[in-house]
Amino acid sequence: MSVTISPSILNCDILDLRGELEKISNADFAHVDVMDNHFVPNLTWGLPVVEQIVAANILPVDAHLMIADADRWAPAYAEAGCASVTFHVEAAAAPIRLAREIRNQGARVGMALKPTTSIEPFEEILDEVDMILIMTVEPGFGGQPFLSSMLPKIRRTREAAKRRGIDLAIQVDGGVSQQTIEQCADAGADVFVAGSAVFKAEDAAAEVETLRTLAASVCEHC
Ligand SMILES: O=C(CO)[C@H](O)[C@H](O)COP(=O)(O)O
Ligand SMILES: [Fe+2]
């Protein structure tokens, strides 16, 4: 496992989406935040836009679905060709069935936890997913400050995966920057979403490499 950098396009220049994706073509994924104004108090884009990002073939798509009724809508994102599909466990009635459906469509599957959702009730099903996404802000908006109170949860998730011998990816999303990425990597994260940090930088590609280097310098298992 190596360090994975997945910049969020949430606050990029949407009128030049192709140009923005090309700027970060040295990243591993494009992190695409789907919000439905029900699960979170914000609205972004849905399947037709995501399909076009997949078809542009610039970067594999890492879809972060902040939508209600994930059971109903998430498999379509895998079918659309997203490389990775992450649903929120708080929005899924049957997370195991949903995770299997997404995997059956050929995508990697992620399960996301809001800041107040604990990992412990889900330890038994860690082998049903490829990735756990630990939100380090309340989901809904970019540009929020990193919640360092989430670091113990990252650590406990990495320990649980190790105990069970599972090769689990742990993604962190929200307020990840040059100032916070090392703490996340040190706690056990290996997949890093950064929106503002990358797209507000003068040189987005250089920022991706800086974040990668900082994370790699402390990530034990990367
Ligand atoms: O899921 C998200 C918000 O719910 C975004 O991926 C996240 O906030 C990225 O933006 P930033 O790096 O600016 O915090
Ligand atoms: Fe996200």
Side-chain angles (χ1 to χ4, degrees):
M1 210 39 185
S2 53
V3 169
T4 298
I5 306 287
S6 185
S8 163
I9 61 165
L10 184 58
N11 287 329
C12 77
D13 178 4
I14 297 303
L15 291 183
D16 181 23
L17 188 48
R18 179 180 292 278
E20 295 285 72
L21 288 167
E22 282 168 352
K23 269 190 202 166
I24 54 156
S25 60
N26 59 326
D28 301 287
F29 292 92
H31 181 89
V32 179
D33 293 297
V34 177
M35 304 186 187
D36 67 351
N37 205 27
H38 290 275
F39 182 72
V40 288
N42 196 5
L43 184 66
T44 55
W45 37 67
L47 200 52
V49 172
V50 173
E51 279 169 347
Q52 289 205 35
I53 298 173
V54 170
N57 208 21
I58 298 167
L59 276 171
V61 171
D62 165 30
H64 176 194
L65 306 180
M66 284 160 275
I67 57 172
D69 200 358
D71 308 70
R72 178 169 173 197
W73 303 110
Y77 287 84
E79 207 179 337
C82 293
S84 175
V85 176
T86 297
F87 63 89
H88 269 265
V89 71
E90 305 88 354
I96 298 175
R97 186 169 61 212
L98 178 55
R100 289 181 181 179
E101 261 184 71
I102 291 169
R103 271 185 173 166
N104 284 344
Q105 295 284 355
R108 287 170 64 78
V109 59
M111 195 164 73
L113 276 61
K114 289 164 83 167
T116 53
T117 304
S118 301
I119 187 63
E120 282 71 19
F122 306 105
E123 283 189 16
E124 304 292 336
I125 64 163
L126 286 182
D127 60 340
E128 297 283 351
V129 299
D130 300 294
M131 182 169 84
I132 290 288
L133 163 50
I134 296 179
M135 289 303 301
T136 44
V137 296
E138 282 294 345
F141 301 92
Q144 302 180 76
F146 176 78
L147 295 172
S148 55
S149 52
M150 293 301 108
L151 291 168
K153 180 154 72 172
I154 300 171
R155 218 171 275 285
R156 291 199 305 277
T157 305
R158 177 57 67 206
E159 281 162 9
K162 268 193 200 154
R163 269 199 310 278
R164 286 163 192 276
I166 302 168
D167 184 17
L168 181 76
I170 300 180
Q171 184 176 70
V172 281
D173 182 8
V176 176
S177 68
Q178 288 189 31
Q179 284 68 45
T180 57
I181 196 166
E182 288 164 292
Q183 301 165 58
C184 297
D186 181 58
D190 51 8
V191 185
F192 306 89
V193 175
S196 320
V198 168
F199 284 102
K200 286 204 172 132
E202 192 107 322
D203 181 339
E207 188 67 19
V208 166
E209 286 320 309
T210 302
L211 292 172
R212 198 191 291 287
T213 305
L214 286 171
S217 69
V218 285
C219 184
E220 241 176 53
H221 58 279
C222 294

